[in-house]
Amino acid sequence: MIVLKFGGTSVEDAEAITRTARIVAGRREHCPIVVVSALGGATNQLIALAEQAAKGHLIGAVRAVEGLRDRHLAVADALLGSGSEGSEVAAELGAMFDEIAQLAEALSVLGDLTPRSLDAVSAMGERLSSLLVAAAFRRLGLPAEHVDGRDVIATDDQYGRAEPLPEVIAERARAHLLPRVRARTIPVMGGFIGYSPGGVTTTLGRGGSDYTASLVGAALKAEAIEIWTDVDGMLTADPRVVNDSRLIDRIGFQEAAELATFGAKVLHPNTIAPAVRLGIPVRVLNSRRPEGSGTLITFDAPRRAVTAIAGKSGITLVRVGTPRMLMTEGFLRTLFAMFERHRVAVDVVATSEVSVSVTVDDASRLDALLLDLRELGDVAIERHRGIVSLVGSSLSNDAAAMSKALGAMGSTRVHMLSLSATGINLTIVVDADEVAPVMRRLHEAFFSPANPEGV
Ligand code: ADP
Ligand code: ASP
Ligand code: MG
């Protein structure tokens, strides 16, 4: 059995869905389970309309609902026609759009958007796409069956970034997916969405459909997980930033996880963990060029000083300094307990004798945390920072690579520098608007034709 995940661009319109069906058809002997994202861009639009409604702009929000309705119905019409299945699916989609319009109305009355209600709205993208894609697959000759992703992905109730409950997921995957696969049908489920124990809709965080695929793959001990997207695989850098980035044939689980965490959006950062536990290979492939071999993420990848470069901006640097830290054993524990209590995740840490610097990706809960941190010492906040990461399994053993990396920084101001404990990730904190130029410079240093040793 294999799990195939198709991202937003792979199901963005009738043509893309038809291509996707062909890919699935070519893998039928592997007993596929299909996980789909919302139609490309739909999640952003749903979130935007929920925000708009909660601000009281109901007319604009309803207009956005109608735009999405038209788009989905046009895709349904192109793929399913107006026969009985076509009308049935159109009616089901229509009912879901009525639900979205009602949610928007409720939000405009309340004037408040809680993470829970935002999940109810943003989950609609995958609820719609999975229903549509399953019906389209049937029309295109595949024995597909729609499965509500929420019936499989059990989570806790941290809306907006819910934690999956793997044991319950395993049970539900055996109940909802396995019998269908055994009956040679192809389950098609929406990624990203789940149910909390109270039966309330949750989501796994942006980009979470990759995570759904690996949770399902791990739950059913799949032989492989394939992530189908709009690029040829994992590349040496984001092609939107570095235009001559190159395909990586094989990459280690650990390297891929570091890259995903530090900005390679091609994979959700949590995708790797469930797969690595069972050693399930993950492949990243291009649904527009299915003949490509993609990137294989596995244990036995070649060891390189630098495999790829990732970057992300919108980082906040928090520095806590206190002379009291000197010789105080419990200081770091107290400090990190505060981060934990406020559910603020830390990416990179550097310490000195009297101060600790940490980077925070999501600064939305920072204000409350700062009140606590100030009890520990002087706190300085630096916003508009970014991180550039150089990832390679033998980076720390390669002094020349390290010095080349630092040399390529030139006169760029560096706010923090850290080599991960595993030695495979050198993270450099710079000003947010330096992220792209620094990525390009490092890429040039390690991957230009004159400097080919990076790959
Ligand atoms: P999907 O909708 O299929 O999940 P995403 O937009 O989430 O697709 O991820 C694919 C995008 O990730 C690519 O279009 C690319 O711009 C970006 N990306 C960032 N870093 C990398 C990288 N190292 N390799 C490949 N793609 C990357
Ligand atoms: N549709 C969701 C998002 O845009 C999940 C995903 O595509 O992976 O974040
Ligand atoms: Mg994605």
Side-chain angles (χ1 to χ4, degrees):
M1 181 195 313
I2 57 173
V3 180
L4 308 177
K5 178 262 169 175
F6 294 92
T9 44
S10 306
V11 293
E12 66 187 352
D13 54 23
E15 207 181 308
I17 294 172
T18 308
R19 265 196 313 263
T20 293
R22 269 201 296 271
I23 294 168
V24 176
R27 280 158 162 73
R28 271 191 69 184
E29 81 270 24
H30 294 286
C31 302
I33 293 171
V34 174
V35 174
V36 291
S37 289
L39 269 56
T43 312
N44 285 347
Q45 286 164 11
L46 287 164
I47 292 171
L49 79 85
E51 285 167 349
Q52 213 176 357
K55 281 189 198 132
H57 306 308
L58 185 58
I59 295 175
V62 169
R63 213 174 281 143
V65 178
E66 294 316 311
L68 276 169
R69 186 197 300 262
D70 291 347
R71 176 178 173 202
H72 282 76
L73 290 180
V75 176
D77 186 50
L79 288 164
L80 304 169
S82 49
S84 68
E85 175 145 36
S87 333
E88 217 170 275
V89 170
E92 277 186 75
L93 296 176
M96 281 197 249
F97 280 107
D98 294 345
E99 196 182 328
I100 304 176
Q102 281 160 11
L103 282 166
E105 216 165 292
L107 289 172
S108 80
V109 173
L110 291 170
D112 184 28
L113 186 59
T114 61
R116 174 175 164 158
S117 41
L118 183 58
D119 273 0
V121 178
S122 60
M124 296 304 290
E126 273 70 9
R127 290 178 55 196
L128 292 158
S129 66
S130 52
L131 187 79
L132 177 51
V133 169
F137 279 8
R138 281 193 296 276
R139 186 63 191 256
L140 294 162
L142 292 168
E145 253 189 278
H146 178 238
V147 173
D148 191 326
R150 298 172 300 175
D151 289 336
V152 178
I153 303 300
T155 71
D156 69 5
D157 60 0
Q158 293 182 52
Y159 300 103
R161 201 169 191 79
E163 280 293 330
L165 308 172
E167 277 108 56
V168 190
I169 293 174
E171 232 169 75
R172 298 203 180 154
R174 282 195 292 270
H176 293 280
L177 299 172
L178 213 48
R180 292 184 160 100
V181 176
R182 290 208 172 114
R184 302 303 260 172
T185 62
I186 302 175
V188 176
M189 59 185 275
F192 180 56
I193 59 179
Y195 270 141
S196 69
V200 181
T201 300
T202 57
T203 67
L204 299 175
R206 295 307 307 272
S209 296
D210 302 330
Y211 195 14
T212 302
S214 73
L215 289 166
V216 169
L220 296 177
K221 303 189 170 53
E223 67 191 80
I225 298 164
E226 294 184 354
I227 306 289
W228 289 85
T229 183
D230 61 352
V231 283
D232 283 347
M234 289 196 87
L235 308 174
T236 49
D238 185 344
R240 288 179 209 192
V241 178
V242 176
N243 56 22
D244 58 349
S245 56
R246 304 188 211 162
L247 179 65
I248 304 164
D249 289 333
R250 291 164 82 87
I251 184 170
F253 278 120
Q254 194 68 49
E255 291 174 302
E258 293 282 344
L259 286 167
T261 304
F262 288 96
K265 184 183 168 234
V266 63
L267 273 190
H268 183 280
N270 296 347
T271 315
I272 300 299
V276 82
R277 239 183 299 121
L278 297 167
I280 303 172
V282 179
R283 207 179 262 288
V284 182
L285 296 136
N286 188 345
S287 66
R288 294 195 181 125
R289 280 195 344 105
E291 66 284 3
S293 54
T295 298
L296 180 64
I297 307 172
T298 167
F299 283 122
D300 53 350
R303 293 179 65 82
R304 288 164 291 226
V306 178
T307 301
I309 296 160
K312 58 179 179 182
S313 44
I315 300 295
T316 304
L317 194 54
V318 180
R319 298 188 197 270
V320 184
T322 168
R324 270 185 294 150
M325 185 177 158
L326 205 66
M327 318 287 277
T328 332
E329 290 135 19
F331 178 82
L332 284 178
R333 191 184 28 157
T334 313
L335 179 92
F336 288 116
M338 288 177 175
F339 277 85
E340 192 182 345
R341 201 161 52 245
H342 291 278
R343 305 228 325 264
V344 175
V346 165
D347 275 339
V348 192
V349 182
T351 67
S352 80
E353 193 75 350
V354 289
S355 78
V356 183
S357 300
V358 302
T359 66
V360 172
D361 198 347
D362 175 6
S364 59
R365 299 198 189 93
L366 208 55
D367 288 347
L369 168 66
L370 291 181
L371 292 176
D372 278 1
L373 289 179
R374 290 207 171 97
E375 285 172 18
L376 286 180
D378 301 330
V379 181
I381 300 295
E382 298 173 23
R383 296 186 200 271
H384 312 296
R385 299 287 187 246
I387 295 181
V388 177
S389 281
L390 217 59
V391 173
S393 49
S394 48
L395 179 63
S396 60
N397 301 329
D398 193 325
M402 203 70 92
S403 103
K404 188 193 268 190
L406 296 177
M409 295 303 295
S411 55
T412 310
R413 184 139 182 244
V414 174
H415 298 283
M416 183 170 154
L417 195 67
S418 167
L419 181 66
S420 68
T422 49
I424 70 164
N425 183 357
L426 180 70
T427 48
I428 306 167
V429 178
V430 295
D431 289 334
D433 52 12
E434 285 289 342
V435 170
V438 167
M439 282 175 72
R440 285 193 277 268
R441 244 180 290 139
L442 285 170
H443 197 272
E444 168 78 21
F446 285 97
F447 299 102
S448 77
N451 301 293
E453 77 262 34
V455 200

